[in-house]
Amino acid sequence: MPSEARSPRLAVLIDADNASAKIADGLFEEIAKIGEASVRRIYGDFSSARSKAWADVLSRHAIIPQQQFAYTTGKNASDITLVIDAMDLLHSGRFDGFCLVSSDSDFTRLAARIREQGIDVFGFGEQKTPESFRQACRRFVYTENLLPTAAANMEDAGDAVPATRSLQPPSAAIPVISKVISQMETEDGWVRLGAVGTQLANLASDFDPRTFGFRKLSDLIRKTNAFEIDHPEGGAVRIREKPSPAVRPRRSRRAARPS
């Protein structure tokens, strides 16, 4: 009897100094969409008030704490230990991907090094995370989208989310969506929505409809009012840019001379 295909094995490494314990539930729900979190480690000084909040959620998610006492001010032993462990796990050859949970740009080189080895890196951090780290990851998820309040607001409001947190307006998504459509050459301008979503992830690692207040890409695109949407019976949803309005000829300002 053939065995079922195994989910990708992931190593989840959390920087407790740069990640809030409030995201724990949403974080592992999101990671479960990608694969199996085989290794779950968190790094920090859990004797400090800053990282102590994580102590309450460690057992619930089977996270192994790596205690690093701050012996010297200004030296981050947690970051160093995380990097050492990441390289050890990388060279073990047992993992299909790494999840780096931090808003610290210091992990940019680590993410790049792992990807050089042909292994996917998924980043999780706040919207303030420097672009260098975001783009070093195959995909980057803003942790604001993982907070319990964000999920509750989506349920209460249906498809859209009330502006109770820092959301970008739907219009801000138009340029990147238009760029993706322009890169997908078709005769009539129509492109499959699924293909657009794939290309968006490749072009902008941090693109996420939830950043604009929507669960699904289709709802975001509809709200922008900048694209036509076609859902043929029995076929995949397609979209294309709305044609530019025809430019009317300008009237001459010179008054007609009397004959």
Side-chain angles (χ1 to χ4, degrees), residues 186-221:
T186 59
E187 293 183 359
D188 56 4
W190 288 103
V191 295
R192 291 185 298 107
L193 180 63
V196 172
T198 300
Q199 284 297 102
L200 280 169
N202 293 334
L203 180 64
S205 63
D206 58 348
F207 185 88
D208 189 335
R210 292 173 296 185
T211 303
F212 305 90
F214 295 89
R215 284 184 180 278
K216 298 184 292 185
L217 177 60
S218 58
D219 293 329
L220 169 60
I221 289 176

mmCIF file of all heavy atoms in Angstrom, residues 186-221:
data_model
loop_
_atom_site.group_PDB
_atom_site.id
_atom_site.type_symbol
_atom_site.label_atom_id
_atom_site.label_comp_id
_atom_site.label_asym_id
_atom_site.label_seq_id
_atom_site.Cartn_x
_atom_site.Cartn_y
_atom_site.Cartn_z
ATOM 1 N N THR A 186 -1.234 37.792 -22.685
ATOM 2 C CA THR A 186 -2.374 37.083 -23.250
ATOM 3 C C THR A 186 -2.940 37.908 -24.398
ATOM 4 O O THR A 186 -2.730 39.121 -24.466
ATOM 5 C CB THR A 186 -3.478 36.857 -22.188
ATOM 6 O OG1 THR A 186 -3.909 38.132 -21.685
ATOM 7 C CG2 THR A 186 -2.976 36.010 -21.044
ATOM 8 N N GLU A 187 -3.684 37.257 -25.281
ATOM 9 C CA GLU A 187 -4.208 37.943 -26.451
ATOM 10 C C GLU A 187 -5.328 38.917 -26.100
ATOM 11 O O GLU A 187 -5.432 39.997 -26.674
ATOM 12 C CB GLU A 187 -4.707 36.923 -27.473
ATOM 13 C CG GLU A 187 -3.604 36.082 -28.094
ATOM 14 C CD GLU A 187 -4.132 35.144 -29.151
ATOM 15 O OE1 GLU A 187 -5.365 35.149 -29.367
ATOM 16 O OE2 GLU A 187 -3.328 34.413 -29.745
ATOM 17 N N ASP A 188 -6.166 38.513 -25.154
ATOM 18 C CA ASP A 188 -7.331 39.344 -24.834
ATOM 19 C C ASP A 188 -7.203 40.076 -23.502
ATOM 20 O O ASP A 188 -8.122 40.783 -23.083
ATOM 21 C CB ASP A 188 -8.611 38.500 -24.827
ATOM 22 C CG ASP A 188 -8.516 37.309 -23.871
ATOM 23 O OD1 ASP A 188 -7.488 37.185 -23.169
ATOM 24 O OD2 ASP A 188 -9.461 36.497 -23.831
ATOM 25 N N GLY A 189 -6.072 39.904 -22.806
ATOM 26 C CA GLY A 189 -5.878 40.601 -21.538
ATOM 27 C C GLY A 189 -6.401 39.865 -20.319
ATOM 28 O O GLY A 189 -6.105 40.254 -19.190
ATOM 29 N N TRP A 190 -7.168 38.798 -20.525
ATOM 30 C CA TRP A 190 -7.714 38.040 -19.401
ATOM 31 C C TRP A 190 -6.641 37.075 -18.859
ATOM 32 O O TRP A 190 -5.968 36.397 -19.627
ATOM 33 C CB TRP A 190 -8.939 37.229 -19.810
ATOM 34 C CG TRP A 190 -10.164 38.049 -20.070
ATOM 35 C CD1 TRP A 190 -10.683 38.398 -21.275
ATOM 36 C CD2 TRP A 190 -11.020 38.625 -19.079
ATOM 37 N NE1 TRP A 190 -11.810 39.164 -21.106
ATOM 38 C CE2 TRP A 190 -12.055 39.317 -19.770
ATOM 39 C CE3 TRP A 190 -11.022 38.642 -17.686
ATOM 40 C CZ2 TRP A 190 -13.067 39.999 -19.110
ATOM 41 C CZ3 TRP A 190 -12.042 39.317 -17.027
ATOM 42 C CH2 TRP A 190 -13.044 39.981 -17.730
ATOM 43 N N VAL A 191 -6.512 37.008 -17.529
ATOM 44 C CA VAL A 191 -5.580 36.083 -16.884
ATOM 45 C C VAL A 191 -6.283 35.390 -15.730
ATOM 46 O O VAL A 191 -7.199 35.952 -15.114
ATOM 47 C CB VAL A 191 -4.314 36.813 -16.362
ATOM 48 C CG1 VAL A 191 -3.516 37.381 -17.520
ATOM 49 C CG2 VAL A 191 -4.687 37.928 -15.392
ATOM 50 N N ARG A 192 -5.895 34.156 -15.464
ATOM 51 C CA ARG A 192 -6.517 33.403 -14.377
ATOM 52 C C ARG A 192 -6.132 33.992 -13.020
ATOM 53 O O ARG A 192 -4.963 34.315 -12.789
ATOM 54 C CB ARG A 192 -6.132 31.936 -14.441
ATOM 55 C CG ARG A 192 -6.718 31.184 -15.622
ATOM 56 C CD ARG A 192 -6.412 29.695 -15.567
ATOM 57 N NE ARG A 192 -4.983 29.430 -15.616
ATOM 58 C CZ ARG A 192 -4.262 29.026 -14.578
ATOM 59 N NH1 ARG A 192 -4.834 28.860 -13.394
ATOM 60 N NH2 ARG A 192 -2.972 28.797 -14.712
ATOM 61 N N LEU A 193 -7.116 34.095 -12.145
ATOM 62 C CA LEU A 193 -6.885 34.673 -10.817
ATOM 63 C C LEU A 193 -5.854 33.872 -10.038
ATOM 64 O O LEU A 193 -5.001 34.437 -9.349
ATOM 65 C CB LEU A 193 -8.202 34.745 -10.036
ATOM 66 C CG LEU A 193 -8.124 35.319 -8.618
ATOM 67 C CD1 LEU A 193 -7.677 36.774 -8.658
ATOM 68 C CD2 LEU A 193 -9.479 35.197 -7.913
ATOM 69 N N GLY A 194 -5.902 32.543 -10.153
ATOM 70 C CA GLY A 194 -4.945 31.706 -9.439
ATOM 71 C C GLY A 194 -3.522 31.976 -9.871
ATOM 72 O O GLY A 194 -2.599 32.007 -9.049
ATOM 73 N N ALA A 195 -3.334 32.179 -11.184
ATOM 74 C CA ALA A 195 -1.994 32.466 -11.700
ATOM 75 C C ALA A 195 -1.519 33.831 -11.219
ATOM 76 O O ALA A 195 -0.324 34.017 -10.939
ATOM 77 C CB ALA A 195 -2.003 32.412 -13.225
ATOM 78 N N VAL A 196 -2.434 34.779 -11.114
ATOM 79 C CA VAL A 196 -2.085 36.111 -10.599
ATOM 80 C C VAL A 196 -1.608 36.001 -9.158
ATOM 81 O O VAL A 196 -0.610 36.619 -8.765
ATOM 82 C CB VAL A 196 -3.288 37.070 -10.697
ATOM 83 C CG1 VAL A 196 -2.986 38.388 -9.971
ATOM 84 C CG2 VAL A 196 -3.629 37.355 -12.150
ATOM 85 N N GLY A 197 -2.309 35.211 -8.354
ATOM 86 C CA GLY A 197 -1.911 35.029 -6.961
ATOM 87 C C GLY A 197 -0.515 34.427 -6.833
ATOM 88 O O GLY A 197 0.278 34.847 -5.991
ATOM 89 N N THR A 198 -0.213 33.464 -7.702
ATOM 90 C CA THR A 198 1.116 32.842 -7.684
ATOM 91 C C THR A 198 2.199 33.843 -8.051
ATOM 92 O O THR A 198 3.251 33.923 -7.397
ATOM 93 C CB THR A 198 1.164 31.649 -8.657
ATOM 94 O OG1 THR A 198 0.179 30.689 -8.265
ATOM 95 C CG2 THR A 198 2.543 31.004 -8.652
ATOM 96 N N GLN A 199 1.943 34.636 -9.094
ATOM 97 C CA GLN A 199 2.919 35.621 -9.526
ATOM 98 C C GLN A 199 3.111 36.730 -8.495
ATOM 99 O O GLN A 199 4.209 37.262 -8.345
ATOM 100 C CB GLN A 199 2.502 36.218 -10.871
ATOM 101 C CG GLN A 199 2.747 35.297 -12.054
ATOM 102 C CD GLN A 199 4.231 34.993 -12.225
ATOM 103 O OE1 GLN A 199 4.711 33.919 -11.851
ATOM 104 N NE2 GLN A 199 4.969 35.932 -12.770
ATOM 105 N N LEU A 200 2.038 37.091 -7.807
ATOM 106 C CA LEU A 200 2.138 38.108 -6.760
ATOM 107 C C LEU A 200 3.096 37.648 -5.663
ATOM 108 O O LEU A 200 3.903 38.428 -5.156
ATOM 109 C CB LEU A 200 0.761 38.407 -6.163
ATOM 110 C CG LEU A 200 -0.141 39.351 -6.958
ATOM 111 C CD1 LEU A 200 -1.543 39.340 -6.385
ATOM 112 C CD2 LEU A 200 0.421 40.766 -6.955
ATOM 113 N N ALA A 201 2.995 36.380 -5.286
ATOM 114 C CA ALA A 201 3.871 35.842 -4.245
ATOM 115 C C ALA A 201 5.325 35.857 -4.697
ATOM 116 O O ALA A 201 6.234 36.072 -3.894
ATOM 117 C CB ALA A 201 3.445 34.419 -3.885
ATOM 118 N N ASN A 202 5.551 35.637 -6.015
ATOM 119 C CA ASN A 202 6.913 35.650 -6.531
ATOM 120 C C ASN A 202 7.466 37.066 -6.638
ATOM 121 O O ASN A 202 8.655 37.299 -6.410
ATOM 122 C CB ASN A 202 6.951 34.982 -7.913
ATOM 123 C CG ASN A 202 6.654 33.496 -7.846
ATOM 124 O OD1 ASN A 202 6.883 32.857 -6.828
ATOM 125 N ND2 ASN A 202 6.129 32.944 -8.932
ATOM 126 N N LEU A 203 6.604 38.015 -6.997
ATOM 127 C CA LEU A 203 7.051 39.389 -7.212
ATOM 128 C C LEU A 203 7.219 40.148 -5.908
ATOM 129 O O LEU A 203 8.180 40.896 -5.723
ATOM 130 C CB LEU A 203 6.046 40.120 -8.114
ATOM 131 C CG LEU A 203 6.368 41.579 -8.451
ATOM 132 C CD1 LEU A 203 7.656 41.664 -9.260
ATOM 133 C CD2 LEU A 203 5.217 42.221 -9.221
ATOM 134 N N ALA A 204 6.268 39.973 -4.991
ATOM 135 C CA ALA A 204 6.296 40.689 -3.709
ATOM 136 C C ALA A 204 6.081 39.681 -2.590
ATOM 137 O O ALA A 204 4.952 39.241 -2.356
ATOM 138 C CB ALA A 204 5.223 41.774 -3.676
ATOM 139 N N SER A 205 7.150 39.311 -1.901
ATOM 140 C CA SER A 205 7.071 38.246 -0.898
ATOM 141 C C SER A 205 6.118 38.573 0.244
ATOM 142 O O SER A 205 5.603 37.684 0.911
ATOM 143 C CB SER A 205 8.463 37.969 -0.322
ATOM 144 O OG SER A 205 8.974 39.114 0.346
ATOM 145 N N ASP A 206 5.863 39.875 0.478
ATOM 146 C CA ASP A 206 5.015 40.265 1.608
ATOM 147 C C ASP A 206 3.593 40.614 1.191
ATOM 148 O O ASP A 206 2.825 41.120 2.014
ATOM 149 C CB ASP A 206 5.638 41.457 2.352
ATOM 150 C CG ASP A 206 5.852 42.661 1.442
ATOM 151 O OD1 ASP A 206 5.742 42.502 0.209
ATOM 152 O OD2 ASP A 206 6.145 43.753 1.957
ATOM 153 N N PHE A 207 3.214 40.328 -0.066
ATOM 154 C CA PHE A 207 1.853 40.657 -0.497
ATOM 155 C C PHE A 207 0.871 39.711 0.186
ATOM 156 O O PHE A 207 1.032 38.496 0.169
ATOM 157 C CB PHE A 207 1.705 40.547 -2.012
ATOM 158 C CG PHE A 207 0.350 40.992 -2.495
ATOM 159 C CD1 PHE A 207 0.117 42.313 -2.809
ATOM 160 C CD2 PHE A 207 -0.695 40.089 -2.605
ATOM 161 C CE1 PHE A 207 -1.132 42.745 -3.231
ATOM 162 C CE2 PHE A 207 -1.944 40.494 -3.025
ATOM 163 C CZ PHE A 207 -2.160 41.823 -3.340
ATOM 164 N N ASP A 208 -0.179 40.294 0.762
ATOM 165 C CA ASP A 208 -1.172 39.515 1.503
ATOM 166 C C ASP A 208 -2.480 40.297 1.494
ATOM 167 O O ASP A 208 -2.514 41.440 1.954
ATOM 168 C CB ASP A 208 -0.690 39.298 2.938
ATOM 169 C CG ASP A 208 -1.552 38.309 3.717
ATOM 170 O OD1 ASP A 208 -2.739 38.149 3.371
ATOM 171 O OD2 ASP A 208 -1.037 37.706 4.681
ATOM 172 N N PRO A 209 -3.578 39.743 0.987
ATOM 173 C CA PRO A 209 -4.867 40.456 0.989
ATOM 174 C C PRO A 209 -5.285 40.934 2.375
ATOM 175 O O PRO A 209 -5.969 41.946 2.504
ATOM 176 C CB PRO A 209 -5.852 39.415 0.441
ATOM 177 C CG PRO A 209 -5.010 38.497 -0.384
ATOM 178 C CD PRO A 209 -3.688 38.424 0.331
ATOM 179 N N ARG A 210 -4.846 40.232 3.411
ATOM 180 C CA ARG A 210 -5.220 40.619 4.776
ATOM 181 C C ARG A 210 -4.612 41.956 5.171
ATOM 182 O O ARG A 210 -5.146 42.648 6.050
ATOM 183 C CB ARG A 210 -4.789 39.528 5.759
ATOM 184 C CG ARG A 210 -5.565 38.231 5.612
ATOM 185 C CD ARG A 210 -5.002 37.127 6.470
ATOM 186 N NE ARG A 210 -3.646 36.759 6.060
ATOM 187 C CZ ARG A 210 -2.964 35.747 6.594
ATOM 188 N NH1 ARG A 210 -3.511 35.005 7.562
ATOM 189 N NH2 ARG A 210 -1.740 35.467 6.175
ATOM 190 N N THR A 211 -3.506 42.324 4.543
ATOM 191 C CA THR A 211 -2.891 43.619 4.829
ATOM 192 C C THR A 211 -3.815 44.756 4.394
ATOM 193 O O THR A 211 -3.733 45.866 4.926
ATOM 194 C CB THR A 211 -1.542 43.734 4.099
ATOM 195 O OG1 THR A 211 -0.706 42.640 4.515
ATOM 196 C CG2 THR A 211 -0.833 45.038 4.429
ATOM 197 N N PHE A 212 -4.700 44.461 3.447
ATOM 198 C CA PHE A 212 -5.652 45.456 2.949
ATOM 199 C C PHE A 212 -7.054 45.252 3.539
ATOM 200 O O PHE A 212 -7.992 45.949 3.174
ATOM 201 C CB PHE A 212 -5.719 45.385 1.424
ATOM 202 C CG PHE A 212 -4.377 45.525 0.759
ATOM 203 C CD1 PHE A 212 -3.605 44.398 0.502
ATOM 204 C CD2 PHE A 212 -3.873 46.773 0.426
ATOM 205 C CE1 PHE A 212 -2.357 44.511 -0.097
ATOM 206 C CE2 PHE A 212 -2.624 46.895 -0.169
ATOM 207 C CZ PHE A 212 -1.861 45.766 -0.431
ATOM 208 N N GLY A 213 -7.177 44.254 4.438
ATOM 209 C CA GLY A 213 -8.436 44.029 5.125
ATOM 210 C C GLY A 213 -9.334 42.981 4.521
ATOM 211 O O GLY A 213 -10.531 42.962 4.813
ATOM 212 N N PHE A 214 -8.790 42.078 3.687
ATOM 213 C CA PHE A 214 -9.620 41.078 3.032
ATOM 214 C C PHE A 214 -9.009 39.691 3.166
ATOM 215 O O PHE A 214 -7.787 39.526 3.141
ATOM 216 C CB PHE A 214 -9.796 41.420 1.545
ATOM 217 C CG PHE A 214 -10.547 42.699 1.315
ATOM 218 C CD1 PHE A 214 -9.866 43.900 1.249
ATOM 219 C CD2 PHE A 214 -11.919 42.706 1.216
ATOM 220 C CE1 PHE A 214 -10.546 45.090 1.062
ATOM 221 C CE2 PHE A 214 -12.620 43.884 1.028
ATOM 222 C CZ PHE A 214 -11.930 45.089 0.950
ATOM 223 N N ARG A 215 -9.879 38.697 3.295
ATOM 224 C CA ARG A 215 -9.413 37.321 3.405
ATOM 225 C C ARG A 215 -8.896 36.802 2.065
ATOM 226 O O ARG A 215 -7.885 36.119 1.999
ATOM 227 C CB ARG A 215 -10.555 36.406 3.861
ATOM 228 C CG ARG A 215 -10.899 36.487 5.335
ATOM 229 C CD ARG A 215 -11.974 35.460 5.650
ATOM 230 N NE ARG A 215 -12.343 35.476 7.045
ATOM 231 C CZ ARG A 215 -11.688 34.864 8.010
ATOM 232 N NH1 ARG A 215 -10.596 34.189 7.714
ATOM 233 N NH2 ARG A 215 -12.102 34.916 9.256
ATOM 234 N N LYS A 216 -9.642 37.111 0.998
ATOM 235 C CA LYS A 216 -9.348 36.528 -0.307
ATOM 236 C C LYS A 216 -8.895 37.581 -1.298
ATOM 237 O O LYS A 216 -9.327 38.731 -1.253
ATOM 238 C CB LYS A 216 -10.587 35.802 -0.840
ATOM 239 C CG LYS A 216 -11.051 34.641 0.026
ATOM 240 C CD LYS A 216 -12.223 33.912 -0.600
ATOM 241 C CE LYS A 216 -13.478 34.774 -0.629
ATOM 242 N NZ LYS A 216 -14.646 34.026 -1.134
ATOM 243 N N LEU A 217 -8.029 37.150 -2.220
ATOM 244 C CA LEU A 217 -7.524 38.040 -3.254
ATOM 245 C C LEU A 217 -8.660 38.548 -4.134
ATOM 246 O O LEU A 217 -8.668 39.716 -4.540
ATOM 247 C CB LEU A 217 -6.483 37.302 -4.102
ATOM 248 C CG LEU A 217 -5.893 38.072 -5.289
ATOM 249 C CD1 LEU A 217 -5.185 39.341 -4.816
ATOM 250 C CD2 LEU A 217 -4.941 37.184 -6.069
ATOM 251 N N SER A 218 -9.631 37.690 -4.426
ATOM 252 C CA SER A 218 -10.735 38.095 -5.294
ATOM 253 C C SER A 218 -11.540 39.243 -4.686
ATOM 254 O O SER A 218 -11.973 40.155 -5.397
ATOM 255 C CB SER A 218 -11.658 36.901 -5.566
ATOM 256 O OG SER A 218 -12.166 36.378 -4.348
ATOM 257 N N ASP A 219 -11.729 39.215 -3.362
ATOM 258 C CA ASP A 219 -12.474 40.292 -2.704
ATOM 259 C C ASP A 219 -11.701 41.608 -2.763
ATOM 260 O O ASP A 219 -12.276 42.671 -2.966
ATOM 261 C CB ASP A 219 -12.752 39.926 -1.240
ATOM 262 C CG ASP A 219 -13.702 38.747 -1.120
ATOM 263 O OD1 ASP A 219 -14.552 38.592 -2.007
ATOM 264 O OD2 ASP A 219 -13.575 37.970 -0.149
ATOM 265 N N LEU A 220 -10.384 41.516 -2.586
ATOM 266 C CA LEU A 220 -9.554 42.715 -2.674
ATOM 267 C C LEU A 220 -9.604 43.303 -4.077
ATOM 268 O O LEU A 220 -9.785 44.520 -4.247
ATOM 269 C CB LEU A 220 -8.109 42.368 -2.299
ATOM 270 C CG LEU A 220 -7.052 43.440 -2.591
ATOM 271 C CD1 LEU A 220 -7.346 44.726 -1.835
ATOM 272 C CD2 LEU A 220 -5.664 42.917 -2.257
ATOM 273 N N ILE A 221 -9.458 42.462 -5.082
ATOM 274 C CA ILE A 221 -9.468 42.936 -6.465
ATOM 275 C C ILE A 221 -10.806 43.574 -6.810
ATOM 276 O O ILE A 221 -10.867 44.622 -7.464
ATOM 277 C CB ILE A 221 -9.151 41.767 -7.422
ATOM 278 C CG1 ILE A 221 -7.673 41.389 -7.284
ATOM 279 C CG2 ILE A 221 -9.493 42.119 -8.858
ATOM 280 C CD1 ILE A 221 -7.260 40.191 -8.099
#
